[in-house]
Amino acid sequence: MIYIRQSTPHQMVNNQESLRLQYALHQRAGDLGWDENNIEVIDADLGQSGTAAAHRAGFKDLLGRVTLGEVGIVLSYEVTRLARNCSDWYPLLDLCGYRQCLIGDRDGIYDPGSANGRLLLGLKGTVT
């Protein structure tokens, strides 16, 4: 799953480079070995703030798919695109760790089920 989000409609219009880089993660997933037919993009949250998941249908869909064990990796340009608060961030990490789902961004691929991955993702989540 590739999760794409920009916080405001203004950013969507005026920051096209960020949007292009986020959509380019589709190619990165292919480069990492995922079959084209198994790569899905969730971009339902474009123009939505990441401060809370309550109004983000795409994030809820992502959580549901991870819960069902349908996701092997979640890619985002920056992991901070996924959540901007601990009450959304840490449950996602817990769920991905339990379901053996990796999380990746432009800096690397992390296993939230490992101590090192959890540490790095925890730090990234606090530096939002």
Side-chain angles (χ1 to χ4, degrees):
M1 301 295 297
I2 299 165
Y3 184 78
I4 297 173
R5 185 183 65 76
Q6 284 186 300
S7 299
T8 65
H10 178 76
Q11 285 181 344
M12 291 171 53
V13 172
N14 294 309
N15 198 348
Q16 290 291 306
E17 180 66 9
S18 171
L19 201 55
R20 185 191 66 72
L21 292 170
Q22 290 184 67
Y23 278 108
L25 289 170
H26 191 278
Q27 178 63 45
R28 177 149 190 234
D31 293 345
L32 291 169
W34 265 263
D35 183 82
E36 175 74 24
N37 296 322
N38 293 327
I39 301 170
E40 293 184 46
V41 174
I42 294 178
D43 59 3
D45 297 337
L46 285 170
Q48 298 287 323
S49 172
T51 56
H55 303 290
R56 293 190 292 143
F59 186 75
K60 290 177 184 177
D61 180 39
L62 175 66
L63 287 175
R65 304 281 298 279
V66 171
T67 299
L68 294 172
E70 298 176 355
V71 181
I73 189 170
V74 176
L75 287 176
S76 184
Y77 185 68
E78 295 175 345
V79 294
T80 59
R81 299 276 91 205
L82 296 166
R84 293 275 192 200
N85 65 60
C86 292
S87 61
D88 294 332
W89 181 238
Y90 286 102
L92 175 64
L93 295 186
D94 289 341
L95 187 56
C96 286
Y98 177 73
R99 287 297 190 178
Q100 299 176 349
C101 175
L102 303 173
I103 297 177
D105 64 10
R106 64 185 175 175
D107 295 327
I109 306 295
Y110 312 94
D111 177 2
S114 73
N116 190 49
R118 181 72 179 209
L119 174 67
L120 292 172
L121 287 167
L123 289 172
K124 282 180 163 262
T126 60
V127 184
T128 57

